[in-house]
C-alpha cells in the first residue's frame, strides 16, 4: 500500500495567510482564490470649532443700561452779562416765584462756579454714557444764558428721567465753613419727591463720603439738607437731588475744585452714586 502524503498549501488572501484543510488520505481540491480590492475610505476632516474667548461671548448689558439721567450743571457762563433776563421772576413751586437764574459763586481767586459745574457734569456724563445710560444736559455749553430754574426742572420731567442730579458749589463766607451737602425737596409735593428722591440724596451722600469727601459742617445735617425753596426740586416730577460739592470760599476745597484732578474726583464719585442708585 502506497501511502499518500498530505500536502498543506499556503494561500495568501488579502495579506493574511490561509491554510487549506484535508480529510483522510485524499488530497483536497485546491481552494479557489478570491481576491478583492479594498479602496481606502475617504476621510473628511471636520475643523474643530474655534475656541471660546471672552470677546466671542456677548457680555450682559450693564444693570443701568437704557436708563435716562438728567444732569443739571448749575448757572451758566453768560448769566452775568444778562441781568434783566436772569432776574425775571419764574415759578418756583409751592406758590412761590424766584429769579430765573443767578450768576453763581466763585473761589476767592475768581474761578467761577458755572465753569466748575459744567466741567464736572461733562465728566459725569461721559462716565455714565460709557455704561449705556442716556444722558441729557439742561444746558449745552458754558457760554449761554440760563435756562431758568423752572425750565431746568421741565427738562428732567420731559425726559422721563430715572434720576435728576443738579451739580453746584457753595459760596459761604462763614468762618471754617467746609464740606458737601445734598439737598432734596421736603416736604414732598409728589410721589417722586418722596422715597425715590430721598434715597437718591442718601446714595449720593454716602458715595461722596466713602470717596473721601467730608460732609458739611455748616448747613444741613449729616450731609443732607431738606429744602422747600429750590425751584428745580420743587417742580420736579422725577427723582431729583442737588449736590453742593463743597465751599468754594474754603481754601482747601477751592484748590480741589480748581484742579482737573480734583474735578475728576468729584465726577467719579457722583457718577458712581448715580449708577448705584439706578441699580438699587
Amino acid at each position: 500500500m502506497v501511502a499518500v502524503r498530505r500536502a498543506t498549501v499556503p494561500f495568501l488572501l488579502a495579506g493574511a495567510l490561509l491554510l487549506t484543510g484535508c480529510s483522510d488520505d485524499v488530497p483536497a481540491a485546491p481552494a479557489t482564490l478570491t481576491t478583492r480590492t479594498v479602496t481606502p475610505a475617504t476621510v473628511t476632516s471636520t475643523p474643530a470649532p474655534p475656541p471660546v474667548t471672552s470677546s466671542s461671548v456677548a457680555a450682559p448689558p450693564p444693570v443701568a443700561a437704557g436708563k435716562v439721567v438728567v444732569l443739571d450743571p448749575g448757572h451758566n457762563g453768560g448769566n452775568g452779562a444778562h441781568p434783566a433776563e436772569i432776574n425775571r421772576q419764574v415759578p418756583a413751586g409751592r406758590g412761590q416765584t424766584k429769579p430765573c437764574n443767578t450768576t453763581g459763586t466763585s473761589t476767592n481767586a475768581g474761578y467761577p462756579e458755572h465753569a466748575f459745574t459744567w466741567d464736572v457734569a461733562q465728566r459725569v456724563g461721559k462716565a455714565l454714557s460709557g455704561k449705556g445710560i442716556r444722558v441729557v444736559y439742561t444746558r449745552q455749553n458754558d457760554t449761554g444764558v440760563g435756562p431758568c430754574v423752572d425750565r431746568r426742572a421741565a427738562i428732567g420731567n420731559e425726559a422721563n428721567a430715572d434720576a435728576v442730579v443738579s451739580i453746584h458749589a457753595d459760596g459761604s463766607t462763614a468762618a471754617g465753613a467746609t464740606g458737601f451737602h445734598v439737598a432734596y425737596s421736603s416736604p414732598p409735593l409728589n410721589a417722586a419727591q418722596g422715597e425715590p428722591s430721598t434715597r437718591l440724596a442718601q446714595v449720593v451722600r454716602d458715595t461722596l463720603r466713602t470717596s473721601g469727601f467730608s460732609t458739611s459742617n455748616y448747613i444741613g445735617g449729616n450731609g443732607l439738607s431738606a429744602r422747600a425753596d429750590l425751584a428745580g426740586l420743587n417742580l420736579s416730577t422725577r427723582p431729583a437731588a442737588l449736590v453742593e460739592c463743597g465751599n468754594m470760599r474754603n481754601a482747601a476745597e477751592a484748590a480741589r475744585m480748581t484742579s482737573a484732578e480734583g474735578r475728576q474726583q468729584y465726577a467719579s464719585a457722583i457718577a458712581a452714586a448715580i449708577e448705584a442708585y439706578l441699580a438699587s
Side-chain angles (χ1 to χ4, degrees):
M1 178 176 179
V2 179
V4 179
R5 187 175 59 183
R6 296 178 182 174
T8 302
V9 182
F11 290 87
L12 183 65
L13 176 61
L17 182 64
L18 300 181
L19 301 179
T20 61
C22 57
S23 75
D24 299 326
D25 295 329
V26 181
T32 303
L33 181 62
T34 303
T35 63
R36 63 189 174 93
T37 303
V38 179
T39 304
T42 302
V43 178
T44 304
S45 90
T46 303
V52 177
T53 63
S54 59
S55 60
S56 63
V57 178
V63 174
K67 299 288 188 177
V68 179
V69 170
V70 170
L71 297 177
D72 176 33
H75 314 287
N76 207 332
N79 285 3
H82 296 80
E85 187 169 348
I86 65 168
N87 285 330
R88 68 184 178 87
Q89 296 293 299
V90 299
R94 305 183 194 272
Q96 305 298 311
T97 62
K98 67 187 311 178
C100 161
N101 211 242
T102 65
T103 59
T105 188
S106 68
T107 67
N108 291 330
Y111 178 65
E113 180 186 359
H114 65 78
F116 168 77
T117 65
W118 173 251
D119 185 84
V120 171
Q122 293 298 300
R123 293 171 187 268
V124 174
K126 182 178 180 180
L128 297 180
S129 296
K131 300 296 180 67
I133 300 168
R134 185 166 76 89
V135 177
V136 177
Y137 299 92
T138 57
R139 58 185 174 100
Q140 304 308 308
N141 54 58
D142 193 39
T143 57
V145 180
C148 296
V149 288
D150 60 330
R151 179 58 193 155
R152 291 176 188 248
I155 291 171
N157 298 340
E158 292 164 3
N160 198 31
D162 295 285
V164 179
V165 175
S166 187
I167 301 171
H168 285 257
D170 203 12
S172 175
T173 56
T178 185
F180 77 88
H181 66 275
V182 185
Y184 59 94
S185 179
S186 181
L189 299 173
N190 53 53
Q193 291 180 17
E195 189 276 338
S197 290
T198 57
R199 181 161 51 89
L200 174 60
Q202 290 167 353
V203 172
V204 173
R205 183 271 314 273
D206 293 345
T207 308
L208 280 168
R209 190 157 53 186
T210 58
S211 298
F213 296 94
S214 300
T215 55
S216 174
N217 64 359
Y218 65 99
I219 189 170
N222 199 24
L224 296 176
S225 179
R227 299 284 292 268
D229 60 328
L230 298 178
L233 300 181
N234 288 340
L235 298 173
S236 180
T237 59
R238 309 304 303 165
L242 183 152
V243 55
E244 295 276 7
C245 293
N247 183 14
M248 298 192 88
R249 298 303 177 90
N250 176 277
E253 289 187 317
R256 194 174 203 174
M257 293 178 185
T258 304
S259 73
E261 180 181 0
R263 292 193 296 272
Q264 184 58 54
Q265 291 170 352
Y266 282 108
S268 296
I270 294 171
I274 294 172
E275 288 183 60
Y277 171 79
L278 295 178
S280 65

